[in-house]
Amino acid sequence: MRYSTLLVLTLGSLAAAAPRDCAQKLKEQVSPPRGWTKVKPASAEHNINLRIGLPQANFAQLEKHLYEISDPFNERYGDHLSKEEVEALIAPHDESIQLVEEWLASHGISADDLTRSPAKDWVTIKVPVSLAEKMLDTEYHVWLHDESGDTMVRTTSYSLPEHLHEHIEVVQPTTMFGRFKGMKATYHYADTERPSVDLSQPWIPIPSAYNGEVNASCNASITPTCLKELYNGVGYTPSATNANKIGITAYLGQYANFEDFHNFTAMFVPDAASSSFEVVYIDGGQNNQTLSAAGLEADLDTQYAFGLTYPTPGTFYTTGGMPPYIPDDDTPTDTNEPYANWLDYILSDPSPPQTISTSYGDNEQTVPESYAKRVCEDLAQLGARGVSLLFASGDFGVGDGDANPETQTCYTNNGLNETKFIPGFPASCPYVTSVGATWYIPEETYFISGGGFSNYFSRPDYQAVAVPEYLSKLAPGTYEGLYNPYGRGIPDVSAQGQWFWVYYAGQLGQIGGTSAATPTFSGFVSLLNDARLAKKLPPLGFLNPLIYAAGAFAPKAFNDIVGGSNPGCGTEGFNATIGWDPVTGFGTPNFYNLKDIVLGDMDLLIGGLSL
């Protein structure tokens, strides 16, 4: 709805007084974020889409269901919940709904002005800054991101009536300064990093690969064929294409170009040369087909995720909301949180893809902990419904986003200028699968691979053995104070992340990063889902309990990556070692070995049987 100053004043004077004590109490406060400069007060007429999160009444029960149906040793394995069952579990109490409605009505906002999530745990309203400041007892300003020039309208604190604190968990956009950037390592192109390729020896012996060898050209030239050879997936043809789907998410004006896709498939996946993919437009998202508008991130993700899984139907989600917001517009609207808009859509979808790959994220500390936990809980809902969610772990080792590991400062956002390792989010959410990166053949640790330990999320049960085992190998005092040894460790797995051929804006070039690794691993997950669905078995859903069981009991399910590290913050970072590590997780996939596991009712895991 649209407010004028007069209308807001009139509504405020006519609205009935709230039925409870309206004394405001501080709800959340953050220190001014590093790298952002406060420019000026926000315009009173600037529109904000406020998202109000109500407590999810029975999330603990949802989480219990999630872990039971994702545990390969549990008799409920694969017994996913329906959309309606999930929504019934996370619906807020009626009292919370009523009190929030009364509070909004006291500010002249009627039920007709609200947008609710299907479970009613989120309420969204469009209000001008002048009204948001009154409701939240705060002041919004325009903030400038010094490095990129992006601008946002945000505040560093907000308050709510004291009686609402237990009925409202979070309100955003307020204190969130995350930018949700793509994870593509465009700066790692140096020819000195390329391996020398001896083409007089046409095959590289790799015991775990298909037929025990990989074409030598793959050592500096990754294609879908190379990945299928390396990860033992040659010869598998999807057959459950009437049931199985794979999705790719895109934000910030990243458009997947069909001409680039067709050129790529014609060269590297000839069987898919005439194929295409569905585009879903969310909240004003676009997919401009002008070649100059093609997005490198979007082209990379679609060409590999859909190329590896052809003829599985692919869906490209393009979500509106891209910086920079222009603070001098007459009627500006701040749309800098596109990920929340995508979540709204996908949670409402009765039949989402069984595998969804996301190559975007940001430093965990840029997302307020309260909001990060609510987003993570939303992701858990998808896992409980049978969706496998995979996220890039990041391209800066243990560092803070500076491309040069030697100059990373890694300061915290708490105002104390402490140096700490910087994990990524949403990769740090315990209900998703985080993907790191390797390179070279035979595979080695790619030093950019984001990894470490969350400062928001505690270690989940599925990591109860693997993570302490890794930490026990560190010398006493190693990086003490730089990381949280009790936090959720990332990544969980990894895949190749450099020298990927990609068609972009009509030209053939190469790219890398965890943006390449994530759609690659996702592609193989989608093939595993296809194998299960073809046998009338449910999809895999939340992957991590299976991954950690396979990593412990069926070591040939993954290709373990040993040696190397992920430097940052003035350190060498963590080292990759035998078993799980916070650089490459359990390693890269062996498709046919994993396929035997997921089609065998997990018998191959029982009793510690190794493939």
Side-chain angles (χ1 to χ4, degrees):
M1 61 184 177
R2 185 178 179 87
Y3 288 86
S4 68
T5 303
L6 177 60
L7 178 58
V8 170
L9 291 173
T10 302
L11 287 172
S13 64
L14 294 178
R20 305 287 182 110
D21 179 9
C22 287
Q24 299 280 89
K25 180 181 177 182
L26 182 68
K27 178 67 174 177
E28 186 168 52
Q29 184 171 21
V30 300
S31 299
R34 291 189 59 83
W36 291 85
T37 300
K38 185 190 293 186
V39 177
K40 64 180 182 180
S43 166
E45 296 299 315
H46 175 78
N47 292 318
I48 297 177
N49 289 313
L50 279 183
R51 291 170 51 83
I52 303 167
L54 282 62
Q56 298 172 334
N58 295 301
F59 180 79
Q61 291 184 37
L62 174 72
E63 185 181 48
K64 182 175 183 292
H65 283 293
L66 174 66
Y67 280 122
E68 288 180 354
I69 62 183
S70 306
D71 179 357
F73 300 118
N74 193 293
E75 63 182 8
R76 292 189 61 202
Y77 183 72
D79 185 18
H80 305 302
L81 303 183
S82 68
K83 177 176 180 288
E84 292 74 22
E85 289 171 330
V86 167
E87 290 168 0
L89 283 170
I90 56 99
H93 291 303
D94 290 342
E95 181 185 11
S96 296
I97 295 173
Q98 178 183 347
L99 290 175
V100 170
E101 284 185 352
E102 291 174 354
W103 171 60
L104 294 175
S106 74
H107 288 283
I109 301 169
S110 72
D112 292 338
D113 299 321
L114 313 180
T115 301
R116 299 185 186 277
S117 62
K120 299 184 179 180
D121 58 325
W122 284 104
V123 173
T124 304
I125 54 173
K126 179 180 283 189
V127 296
V129 160
S130 57
L131 182 55
E133 290 181 333
K134 179 180 178 183
M135 294 169 61
L136 304 175
D137 190 22
T138 190
E139 293 181 358
Y140 278 90
H141 286 80
V142 175
W143 292 79
L144 172 70
H145 188 245
D146 301 333
E147 179 182 355
S148 68
D150 294 347
T151 52
M152 292 183 180
V153 171
R154 294 294 186 269
T155 182
T156 55
S157 67
Y158 68 94
S159 300
L160 292 169
E162 187 167 359
H163 75 279
L164 289 180
H165 275 233
E166 63 181 299
H167 300 286
I168 294 178
E169 286 188 335
V170 63
V171 180
Q172 291 292 348
T174 49
T175 58
M176 178 178 165
F177 286 81
R179 296 173 53 243
F180 206 61
K181 54 184 178 290
M183 300 297 183
K184 56 182 184 296
T186 54
Y187 45 84
H188 294 298
Y189 279 132
D191 290 338
T192 55
E193 295 175 347
R194 290 179 176 272
S196 59
V197 179
D198 182 5
L199 294 180
S200 66
Q201 302 295 323
W203 298 96
I204 302 172
I206 305 291
S208 60
Y210 180 76
N211 284 340
E213 57 188 15
V214 175
N215 193 294
S217 66
C218 297
N219 210 351
S221 180
I222 296 295
T223 68
T225 298
C226 291
L227 295 170
K228 287 190 173 183
E229 288 181 4
L230 181 61
Y231 297 143
N232 192 21
V234 175
Y236 183 82
T237 301
S239 60
T241 54
N242 61 333
N244 194 32
K245 297 183 290 185
I246 182 171
I248 291 293
T249 66
Y251 311 89
L252 312 180
Q254 281 284 323
Y255 307 138
N257 186 271
F258 288 113
E259 182 178 336
D260 285 337
F261 181 78
H262 294 144
N263 285 336
F264 178 85
T265 53
M267 176 171 285
F268 298 116
V269 194
D271 288 347
S274 61
S275 68
S276 191
F277 50 88
E278 179 186 7
V279 179
V280 173
Y281 303 88
I282 301 171
D283 197 44
Q286 302 177 28
N287 198 35
N288 188 334
Q289 289 303 293
T290 305
L291 270 180
S292 61
L296 181 56
E297 189 85 57
D299 277 355
L300 170 67
D301 290 351
T302 53
Q303 288 168 25
Y304 278 86
F306 303 156
L308 285 167
T309 58
Y310 173 80
T312 302
T315 302
F316 176 71
Y317 295 98
T318 174
T319 303
M322 59 171 291
Y325 137 71
I326 304 173
D328 294 326
D329 282 354
D330 292 334
T331 55
T333 298
D334 195 359
T335 53
N336 270 307
E337 294 188 69
Y339 189 65
N341 299 332
W342 177 80
L343 267 177
D344 288 342
Y345 177 88
I346 204 69
L347 287 170
S348 300
D349 187 346
S351 182
Q354 292 88 347
T355 308
I356 300 178
S357 177
T358 300
S359 294
Y360 296 76
D362 206 347
N363 297 337
E364 186 183 70
Q365 67 174 0
T366 67
V367 183
E369 185 172 356
S370 60
Y371 189 55
K373 289 186 173 180
R374 276 304 297 261
V375 168
C376 192
E377 290 169 358
D378 286 348
L379 296 171
Q381 296 178 47
L382 290 168
R385 291 172 54 187
V387 179
S388 299
L389 298 167
L390 298 98
F391 284 82
S393 69
D395 288 353
F396 304 101
V398 295
D400 63 356
D402 188 329
N404 184 351
E406 297 179 359
T407 61
Q408 292 173 349
T409 54
C410 302
Y411 287 134
T412 59
N413 266 355
N414 59 8
L416 301 178
N417 286 347
E418 298 171 314
T419 296
K420 287 187 181 294
F421 293 163
I422 310 295
F425 180 81
S428 64
C429 170
Y431 310 125
V432 306
T433 299
S434 174
V435 184
T438 63
W439 62 351
Y440 299 125
I441 299 174
E443 290 186 274
E444 299 179 10
T445 297
Y446 192 3
F447 63 86
I448 67 160
S449 186
F453 300 88
S454 173
N455 293 310
Y456 289 172
F457 303 102
S458 59
R459 181 188 304 152
D461 287 346
Y462 57 78
Q463 291 190 324
V465 174
V467 171
E469 183 176 324
Y470 174 82
L471 294 177
S472 70
K473 300 173 186 177
L474 295 179
T478 301
Y479 304 144
E480 185 173 354
L482 293 180
Y483 72 99
N484 173 21
Y486 306 105
R488 185 269 204 264
I490 58 172
D492 303 299
V493 291
S494 52
Q496 281 280 314
Q498 184 57 297
W499 300 304
F500 277 53
W501 285 109
V502 60
Y503 259 97
Y504 165 59
Q507 302 295 317
L508 184 63
Q510 288 182 289
I511 188 63
T514 50
S515 275
T518 305
T520 294
F521 201 98
S522 299
F524 286 99
V525 170
S526 183
L527 295 178
L528 293 173
N529 273 327
D530 176 89
R532 282 182 61 84
L533 291 167
K535 296 292 186 181
K536 307 303 181 184
L537 296 170
L540 293 170
F542 176 43
L543 297 169
N544 291 5
L546 171 64
I547 288 171
Y548 283 78
F553 297 132
K556 292 185 180 179
F558 300 105
N559 310 310
D560 198 7
I561 310 300
V562 177
S565 66
N566 53 356
C569 306
T571 76
E572 289 301 311
F574 294 107
N575 63 304
T577 187
I578 295 173
W580 181 88
D581 55 68
V583 189
T584 61
F586 275 111
T588 60
N590 185 309
F591 172 72
Y592 273 106
N593 287 354
L594 284 167
K595 175 174 166 287
D596 287 343
I597 291 174
V598 303
L599 291 185
D601 294 327
M602 310 306 149
D603 289 343
L604 291 171
L605 298 182
I606 304 298
L609 177 63
S610 295
L611 288 167

